[in-house]
Amino acid sequence: MDLWNYERQALEEGHAVICGCDEAGAGPLAGPVYAAAVILPLGLELPGLDDSKKLPERRREALFPKIQEQALDWAVAWVPADEIDRTDILSARMRAMELAIGKLRLRPDFALIDGNRDRGRSAAITTCHRCIVKGDGLSASIAAASVLAKVSRDRAMEELDRLYPQYGFARHKGYGTSLHYEMLRRYGPSPIHRRSFLKNL
């Protein structure tokens, strides 16, 4: 499959600097939601690049520095759990992606966004863009962003595990596993839990 069709189409439409953007961590019960924006040289070969959810952890970790080294520019941003609770997860996802795009030194004039949503109640993607359903498996730029976002978030959760070791964040990364629910029942929520996600406890 050619992962460059959407980038080429944007170039043919007259756009010059195209970034891919994706987020990681929309579903967990704890921790921030992360996003990354990546500008790749057109046609760059990154063997094994795909939607980060389809890649084993070892492959994601191997791709992470290669993307950072070979991208024309990249950036990562996040929105913490308390802001997710104050707004909503869709708005937090949009804000994280918009923050990541805004941190790029090379100013993109077009963004390829994973998914079918570009705005929440309190945040929206303001850069000229196109939403692509399952874009992390269809666009090289979005796939690269998905890897940076996923690895960055996983590493952040491993750091948070050191602060709150009783919850097992390094193992489940904040997702609602049986172990995580058991620890929540035992210890109650931590400061990094998303209270709006815990209504069924």
Side-chain angles (χ1 to χ4, degrees), residues 114-146:
D114 183 59
N116 63 354
R117 307 294 289 274
D118 62 359
R119 66 186 59 248
R121 286 199 304 268
S122 62
I125 306 296
T126 59
T127 304
C128 184
H129 62 277
R130 174 173 296 134
C131 293
I132 305 169
V133 175
K134 298 186 178 176
D136 43 11
L138 299 172
S139 155
S141 302
I142 298 176
S146 79

PDB file of all heavy atoms in Angstrom, residues 114-146:
ATOM      1  N   ASP A 114      -5.771  12.226  11.868  1.00  0.00           N
ATOM      2  CA  ASP A 114      -6.380  10.903  12.000  1.00  0.00           C
ATOM      3  C   ASP A 114      -7.780  11.016  12.586  1.00  0.00           C
ATOM      4  O   ASP A 114      -8.025  11.760  13.537  1.00  0.00           O
ATOM      5  CB  ASP A 114      -5.524  10.026  12.913  1.00  0.00           C
ATOM      6  CG  ASP A 114      -6.081   8.623  13.019  1.00  0.00           C
ATOM      7  OD1 ASP A 114      -6.196   7.958  11.975  1.00  0.00           O
ATOM      8  OD2 ASP A 114      -6.418   8.192  14.133  1.00  0.00           O
ATOM      9  N   GLY A 115      -8.710  10.264  12.009  1.00  0.00           N
ATOM     10  CA  GLY A 115     -10.065  10.214  12.552  1.00  0.00           C
ATOM     11  C   GLY A 115     -11.051  11.022  11.744  1.00  0.00           C
ATOM     12  O   GLY A 115     -10.743  11.526  10.655  1.00  0.00           O
ATOM     13  N   ASN A 116     -12.244  11.181  12.291  1.00  0.00           N
ATOM     14  CA  ASN A 116     -13.303  11.902  11.580  1.00  0.00           C
ATOM     15  C   ASN A 116     -13.791  13.131  12.334  1.00  0.00           C
ATOM     16  O   ASN A 116     -14.819  13.701  11.990  1.00  0.00           O
ATOM     17  CB  ASN A 116     -14.492  10.964  11.311  1.00  0.00           C
ATOM     18  CG  ASN A 116     -15.138  10.470  12.597  1.00  0.00           C
ATOM     19  OD1 ASN A 116     -14.641  10.733  13.693  1.00  0.00           O
ATOM     20  ND2 ASN A 116     -16.247   9.766  12.469  1.00  0.00           N
ATOM     21  N   ARG A 117     -13.039  13.556  13.349  1.00  0.00           N
ATOM     22  CA  ARG A 117     -13.456  14.713  14.139  1.00  0.00           C
ATOM     23  C   ARG A 117     -12.351  15.764  14.126  1.00  0.00           C
ATOM     24  O   ARG A 117     -11.163  15.429  14.232  1.00  0.00           O
ATOM     25  CB  ARG A 117     -13.740  14.300  15.600  1.00  0.00           C
ATOM     26  CG  ARG A 117     -14.719  13.146  15.743  1.00  0.00           C
ATOM     27  CD  ARG A 117     -16.116  13.498  15.276  1.00  0.00           C
ATOM     28  NE  ARG A 117     -16.776  14.421  16.182  1.00  0.00           N
ATOM     29  CZ  ARG A 117     -17.454  14.054  17.255  1.00  0.00           C
ATOM     30  NH1 ARG A 117     -17.528  12.770  17.593  1.00  0.00           N
ATOM     31  NH2 ARG A 117     -18.056  14.952  18.004  1.00  0.00           N
ATOM     32  N   ASP A 118     -12.747  17.010  14.027  1.00  0.00           N
ATOM     33  CA  ASP A 118     -11.749  18.087  14.044  1.00  0.00           C
ATOM     34  C   ASP A 118     -12.095  19.182  15.048  1.00  0.00           C
ATOM     35  O   ASP A 118     -11.447  20.214  15.104  1.00  0.00           O
ATOM     36  CB  ASP A 118     -11.569  18.696  12.652  1.00  0.00           C
ATOM     37  CG  ASP A 118     -12.840  19.342  12.107  1.00  0.00           C
ATOM     38  OD1 ASP A 118     -13.884  19.312  12.797  1.00  0.00           O
ATOM     39  OD2 ASP A 118     -12.779  19.870  10.988  1.00  0.00           O
ATOM     40  N   ARG A 119     -13.129  18.917  15.884  1.00  0.00           N
ATOM     41  CA  ARG A 119     -13.474  19.910  16.907  1.00  0.00           C
ATOM     42  C   ARG A 119     -14.248  19.244  18.036  1.00  0.00           C
ATOM     43  O   ARG A 119     -14.977  18.269  17.832  1.00  0.00           O
ATOM     44  CB  ARG A 119     -14.287  21.063  16.325  1.00  0.00           C
ATOM     45  CG  ARG A 119     -15.676  20.713  15.806  1.00  0.00           C
ATOM     46  CD  ARG A 119     -16.334  21.909  15.124  1.00  0.00           C
ATOM     47  NE  ARG A 119     -15.513  22.367  14.014  1.00  0.00           N
ATOM     48  CZ  ARG A 119     -14.867  23.547  13.993  1.00  0.00           C
ATOM     49  NH1 ARG A 119     -14.959  24.376  15.007  1.00  0.00           N
ATOM     50  NH2 ARG A 119     -14.137  23.895  12.959  1.00  0.00           N
ATOM     51  N   GLY A 120     -14.035  19.790  19.224  1.00  0.00           N
ATOM     52  CA  GLY A 120     -14.838  19.418  20.379  1.00  0.00           C
ATOM     53  C   GLY A 120     -15.570  20.661  20.860  1.00  0.00           C
ATOM     54  O   GLY A 120     -15.585  21.688  20.186  1.00  0.00           O
ATOM     55  N   ARG A 121     -16.148  20.580  22.041  1.00  0.00           N
ATOM     56  CA  ARG A 121     -16.909  21.731  22.545  1.00  0.00           C
ATOM     57  C   ARG A 121     -16.010  22.935  22.802  1.00  0.00           C
ATOM     58  O   ARG A 121     -16.432  24.080  22.628  1.00  0.00           O
ATOM     59  CB  ARG A 121     -17.640  21.355  23.841  1.00  0.00           C
ATOM     60  CG  ARG A 121     -18.843  20.464  23.628  1.00  0.00           C
ATOM     61  CD  ARG A 121     -19.793  20.496  24.811  1.00  0.00           C
ATOM     62  NE  ARG A 121     -19.140  20.133  26.056  1.00  0.00           N
ATOM     63  CZ  ARG A 121     -19.084  18.901  26.545  1.00  0.00           C
ATOM     64  NH1 ARG A 121     -19.630  17.908  25.861  1.00  0.00           N
ATOM     65  NH2 ARG A 121     -18.486  18.653  27.684  1.00  0.00           N
ATOM     66  N   SER A 122     -14.757  22.673  23.229  1.00  0.00           N
ATOM     67  CA  SER A 122     -13.907  23.794  23.634  1.00  0.00           C
ATOM     68  C   SER A 122     -12.575  23.856  22.907  1.00  0.00           C
ATOM     69  O   SER A 122     -11.710  24.653  23.274  1.00  0.00           O
ATOM     70  CB  SER A 122     -13.645  23.720  25.151  1.00  0.00           C
ATOM     71  OG  SER A 122     -12.949  22.533  25.476  1.00  0.00           O
ATOM     72  N   ALA A 123     -12.380  23.049  21.863  1.00  0.00           N
ATOM     73  CA  ALA A 123     -11.124  23.086  21.110  1.00  0.00           C
ATOM     74  C   ALA A 123     -11.367  22.566  19.707  1.00  0.00           C
ATOM     75  O   ALA A 123     -12.273  21.752  19.478  1.00  0.00           O
ATOM     76  CB  ALA A 123     -10.053  22.257  21.808  1.00  0.00           C
ATOM     77  N   ALA A 124     -10.546  23.028  18.777  1.00  0.00           N
ATOM     78  CA  ALA A 124     -10.692  22.615  17.380  1.00  0.00           C
ATOM     79  C   ALA A 124      -9.349  22.725  16.674  1.00  0.00           C
ATOM     80  O   ALA A 124      -8.461  23.463  17.105  1.00  0.00           O
ATOM     81  CB  ALA A 124     -11.727  23.497  16.671  1.00  0.00           C
ATOM     82  N   ILE A 125      -9.213  21.978  15.585  1.00  0.00           N
ATOM     83  CA  ILE A 125      -8.038  22.101  14.723  1.00  0.00           C
ATOM     84  C   ILE A 125      -8.245  23.330  13.853  1.00  0.00           C
ATOM     85  O   ILE A 125      -9.218  23.402  13.092  1.00  0.00           O
ATOM     86  CB  ILE A 125      -7.869  20.852  13.839  1.00  0.00           C
ATOM     87  CG1 ILE A 125      -7.848  19.574  14.679  1.00  0.00           C
ATOM     88  CG2 ILE A 125      -6.619  20.978  12.973  1.00  0.00           C
ATOM     89  CD1 ILE A 125      -6.705  19.454  15.628  1.00  0.00           C
ATOM     90  N   THR A 126      -7.351  24.298  13.966  1.00  0.00           N
ATOM     91  CA  THR A 126      -7.516  25.546  13.213  1.00  0.00           C
ATOM     92  C   THR A 126      -6.658  25.576  11.954  1.00  0.00           C
ATOM     93  O   THR A 126      -6.953  26.353  11.031  1.00  0.00           O
ATOM     94  CB  THR A 126      -7.164  26.762  14.091  1.00  0.00           C
ATOM     95  OG1 THR A 126      -5.814  26.642  14.541  1.00  0.00           O
ATOM     96  CG2 THR A 126      -8.091  26.839  15.297  1.00  0.00           C
ATOM     97  N   THR A 127      -5.614  24.778  11.890  1.00  0.00           N
ATOM     98  CA  THR A 127      -4.806  24.678  10.669  1.00  0.00           C
ATOM     99  C   THR A 127      -5.669  24.074   9.563  1.00  0.00           C
ATOM    100  O   THR A 127      -6.496  23.197   9.817  1.00  0.00           O
ATOM    101  CB  THR A 127      -3.591  23.770  10.927  1.00  0.00           C
ATOM    102  OG1 THR A 127      -2.858  24.282  12.030  1.00  0.00           O
ATOM    103  CG2 THR A 127      -2.676  23.690   9.709  1.00  0.00           C
ATOM    104  N   CYS A 128      -5.481  24.552   8.329  1.00  0.00           N
ATOM    105  CA  CYS A 128      -6.162  23.938   7.185  1.00  0.00           C
ATOM    106  C   CYS A 128      -5.852  22.441   7.193  1.00  0.00           C
ATOM    107  O   CYS A 128      -4.684  22.051   7.346  1.00  0.00           O
ATOM    108  CB  CYS A 128      -5.664  24.600   5.898  1.00  0.00           C
ATOM    109  SG  CYS A 128      -6.502  24.025   4.416  1.00  0.00           S
ATOM    110  N   HIS A 129      -6.862  21.586   7.042  1.00  0.00           N
ATOM    111  CA  HIS A 129      -6.634  20.175   7.280  1.00  0.00           C
ATOM    112  C   HIS A 129      -7.632  19.283   6.554  1.00  0.00           C
ATOM    113  O   HIS A 129      -8.636  19.753   6.015  1.00  0.00           O
ATOM    114  CB  HIS A 129      -6.722  19.883   8.786  1.00  0.00           C
ATOM    115  CG  HIS A 129      -8.086  20.180   9.359  1.00  0.00           C
ATOM    116  ND1 HIS A 129      -8.468  21.439   9.747  1.00  0.00           N
ATOM    117  CD2 HIS A 129      -9.158  19.362   9.590  1.00  0.00           C
ATOM    118  CE1 HIS A 129      -9.718  21.400  10.183  1.00  0.00           C
ATOM    119  NE2 HIS A 129     -10.157  20.147  10.094  1.00  0.00           N
ATOM    120  N   ARG A 130      -7.336  17.989   6.599  1.00  0.00           N
ATOM    121  CA  ARG A 130      -8.262  16.960   6.124  1.00  0.00           C
ATOM    122  C   ARG A 130      -8.280  15.852   7.167  1.00  0.00           C
ATOM    123  O   ARG A 130      -7.218  15.392   7.615  1.00  0.00           O
ATOM    124  CB  ARG A 130      -7.809  16.404   4.776  1.00  0.00           C
ATOM    125  CG  ARG A 130      -8.652  15.212   4.274  1.00  0.00           C
ATOM    126  CD  ARG A 130      -8.253  14.820   2.855  1.00  0.00           C
ATOM    127  NE  ARG A 130      -8.533  15.908   1.935  1.00  0.00           N
ATOM    128  CZ  ARG A 130      -7.685  16.353   1.003  1.00  0.00           C
ATOM    129  NH1 ARG A 130      -6.505  15.800   0.852  1.00  0.00           N
ATOM    130  NH2 ARG A 130      -8.027  17.344   0.214  1.00  0.00           N
ATOM    131  N   CYS A 131      -9.468  15.415   7.554  1.00  0.00           N
ATOM    132  CA  CYS A 131      -9.605  14.279   8.464  1.00  0.00           C
ATOM    133  C   CYS A 131      -9.630  12.988   7.640  1.00  0.00           C
ATOM    134  O   CYS A 131     -10.309  12.932   6.610  1.00  0.00           O
ATOM    135  CB  CYS A 131     -10.891  14.385   9.279  1.00  0.00           C
ATOM    136  SG  CYS A 131     -10.893  15.758  10.452  1.00  0.00           S
ATOM    137  N   ILE A 132      -8.904  11.984   8.106  1.00  0.00           N
ATOM    138  CA  ILE A 132      -8.830  10.708   7.396  1.00  0.00           C
ATOM    139  C   ILE A 132      -9.140   9.594   8.380  1.00  0.00           C
ATOM    140  O   ILE A 132      -8.377   9.360   9.329  1.00  0.00           O
ATOM    141  CB  ILE A 132      -7.437  10.488   6.773  1.00  0.00           C
ATOM    142  CG1 ILE A 132      -7.060  11.657   5.866  1.00  0.00           C
ATOM    143  CG2 ILE A 132      -7.395   9.175   5.995  1.00  0.00           C
ATOM    144  CD1 ILE A 132      -5.603  11.636   5.418  1.00  0.00           C
ATOM    145  N   VAL A 133     -10.260   8.916   8.173  1.00  0.00           N
ATOM    146  CA  VAL A 133     -10.631   7.799   9.035  1.00  0.00           C
ATOM    147  C   VAL A 133      -9.607   6.681   8.859  1.00  0.00           C
ATOM    148  O   VAL A 133      -9.254   6.314   7.736  1.00  0.00           O
ATOM    149  CB  VAL A 133     -12.049   7.304   8.696  1.00  0.00           C
ATOM    150  CG1 VAL A 133     -12.393   6.058   9.520  1.00  0.00           C
ATOM    151  CG2 VAL A 133     -13.067   8.409   8.951  1.00  0.00           C
ATOM    152  N   LYS A 134      -9.086   6.173   9.980  1.00  0.00           N
ATOM    153  CA  LYS A 134      -8.020   5.167   9.988  1.00  0.00           C
ATOM    154  C   LYS A 134      -6.783   5.666   9.251  1.00  0.00           C
ATOM    155  O   LYS A 134      -6.036   4.886   8.645  1.00  0.00           O
ATOM    156  CB  LYS A 134      -8.515   3.840   9.403  1.00  0.00           C
ATOM    157  CG  LYS A 134      -9.657   3.238  10.220  1.00  0.00           C
ATOM    158  CD  LYS A 134     -10.048   1.868   9.731  1.00  0.00           C
ATOM    159  CE  LYS A 134     -11.152   1.286  10.622  1.00  0.00           C
ATOM    160  NZ  LYS A 134     -11.639  -0.018  10.144  1.00  0.00           N
ATOM    161  N   GLY A 135      -6.559   6.975   9.353  1.00  0.00           N
ATOM    162  CA  GLY A 135      -5.436   7.595   8.654  1.00  0.00           C
ATOM    163  C   GLY A 135      -4.090   7.095   9.114  1.00  0.00           C
ATOM    164  O   GLY A 135      -3.117   7.155   8.345  1.00  0.00           O
ATOM    165  N   ASP A 136      -4.020   6.572  10.358  1.00  0.00           N
ATOM    166  CA  ASP A 136      -2.726   6.093  10.847  1.00  0.00           C
ATOM    167  C   ASP A 136      -2.266   4.837  10.109  1.00  0.00           C
ATOM    168  O   ASP A 136      -1.098   4.460  10.218  1.00  0.00           O
ATOM    169  CB  ASP A 136      -2.751   5.855  12.362  1.00  0.00           C
ATOM    170  CG  ASP A 136      -4.010   5.173  12.850  1.00  0.00           C
ATOM    171  OD1 ASP A 136      -4.789   4.691  12.004  1.00  0.00           O
ATOM    172  OD2 ASP A 136      -4.225   5.125  14.067  1.00  0.00           O
ATOM    173  N   GLY A 137      -3.152   4.217   9.329  1.00  0.00           N
ATOM    174  CA  GLY A 137      -2.751   3.098   8.484  1.00  0.00           C
ATOM    175  C   GLY A 137      -2.743   3.445   7.015  1.00  0.00           C
ATOM    176  O   GLY A 137      -2.435   2.589   6.174  1.00  0.00           O
ATOM    177  N   LEU A 138      -3.072   4.711   6.679  1.00  0.00           N
ATOM    178  CA  LEU A 138      -3.194   5.125   5.277  1.00  0.00           C
ATOM    179  C   LEU A 138      -2.228   6.227   4.869  1.00  0.00           C
ATOM    180  O   LEU A 138      -1.995   6.427   3.682  1.00  0.00           O
ATOM    181  CB  LEU A 138      -4.633   5.617   5.017  1.00  0.00           C
ATOM    182  CG  LEU A 138      -5.748   4.600   5.234  1.00  0.00           C
ATOM    183  CD1 LEU A 138      -7.106   5.274   5.129  1.00  0.00           C
ATOM    184  CD2 LEU A 138      -5.638   3.462   4.217  1.00  0.00           C
ATOM    185  N   SER A 139      -1.680   6.939   5.840  1.00  0.00           N
ATOM    186  CA  SER A 139      -0.782   8.064   5.564  1.00  0.00           C
ATOM    187  C   SER A 139       0.508   7.889   6.348  1.00  0.00           C
ATOM    188  O   SER A 139       0.475   7.653   7.561  1.00  0.00           O
ATOM    189  CB  SER A 139      -1.456   9.390   5.965  1.00  0.00           C
ATOM    190  OG  SER A 139      -0.499  10.397   6.253  1.00  0.00           O
ATOM    191  N   ALA A 140       1.640   8.012   5.656  1.00  0.00           N
ATOM    192  CA  ALA A 140       2.942   7.882   6.334  1.00  0.00           C
ATOM    193  C   ALA A 140       3.106   8.936   7.418  1.00  0.00           C
ATOM    194  O   ALA A 140       3.609   8.650   8.514  1.00  0.00           O
ATOM    195  CB  ALA A 140       4.072   7.988   5.303  1.00  0.00           C
ATOM    196  N   SER A 141       2.667  10.159   7.145  1.00  0.00           N
ATOM    197  CA  SER A 141       2.832  11.247   8.112  1.00  0.00           C
ATOM    198  C   SER A 141       2.019  10.992   9.373  1.00  0.00           C
ATOM    199  O   SER A 141       2.502  11.216  10.499  1.00  0.00           O
ATOM    200  CB  SER A 141       2.414  12.576   7.486  1.00  0.00           C
ATOM    201  OG  SER A 141       3.166  12.858   6.333  1.00  0.00           O
ATOM    202  N   ILE A 142       0.779  10.522   9.200  1.00  0.00           N
ATOM    203  CA  ILE A 142      -0.062  10.233  10.367  1.00  0.00           C
ATOM    204  C   ILE A 142       0.482   9.022  11.112  1.00  0.00           C
ATOM    205  O   ILE A 142       0.516   8.998  12.350  1.00  0.00           O
ATOM    206  CB  ILE A 142      -1.532  10.012   9.956  1.00  0.00           C
ATOM    207  CG1 ILE A 142      -2.115  11.274   9.314  1.00  0.00           C
ATOM    208  CG2 ILE A 142      -2.364   9.597  11.165  1.00  0.00           C
ATOM    209  CD1 ILE A 142      -3.543  11.101   8.803  1.00  0.00           C
ATOM    210  N   ALA A 143       0.928   7.998  10.377  1.00  0.00           N
ATOM    211  CA  ALA A 143       1.496   6.809  11.034  1.00  0.00           C
ATOM    212  C   ALA A 143       2.703   7.190  11.885  1.00  0.00           C
ATOM    213  O   ALA A 143       2.849   6.720  13.020  1.00  0.00           O
ATOM    214  CB  ALA A 143       1.887   5.772   9.978  1.00  0.00           C
ATOM    215  N   ALA A 144       3.559   8.052  11.350  1.00  0.00           N
ATOM    216  CA  ALA A 144       4.727   8.495  12.116  1.00  0.00           C
ATOM    217  C   ALA A 144       4.289   9.250  13.366  1.00  0.00           C
ATOM    218  O   ALA A 144       4.846   9.052  14.459  1.00  0.00           O
ATOM    219  CB  ALA A 144       5.619   9.374  11.237  1.00  0.00           C
ATOM    220  N   ALA A 145       3.276  10.097  13.228  1.00  0.00           N
ATOM    221  CA  ALA A 145       2.761  10.835  14.390  1.00  0.00           C
ATOM    222  C   ALA A 145       2.173   9.870  15.417  1.00  0.00           C
ATOM    223  O   ALA A 145       2.331  10.056  16.627  1.00  0.00           O
ATOM    224  CB  ALA A 145       1.717  11.854  13.945  1.00  0.00           C
ATOM    225  N   SER A 146       1.503   8.820  14.945  1.00  0.00           N
ATOM    226  CA  SER A 146       0.901   7.858  15.876  1.00  0.00           C
ATOM    227  C   SER A 146       1.981   7.165  16.700  1.00  0.00           C
ATOM    228  O   SER A 146       1.790   6.907  17.894  1.00  0.00           O
ATOM    229  CB  SER A 146       0.029   6.847  15.127  1.00  0.00           C
ATOM    230  OG  SER A 146       0.779   5.820  14.509  1.00  0.00           O
TER     231      SER A 146
END
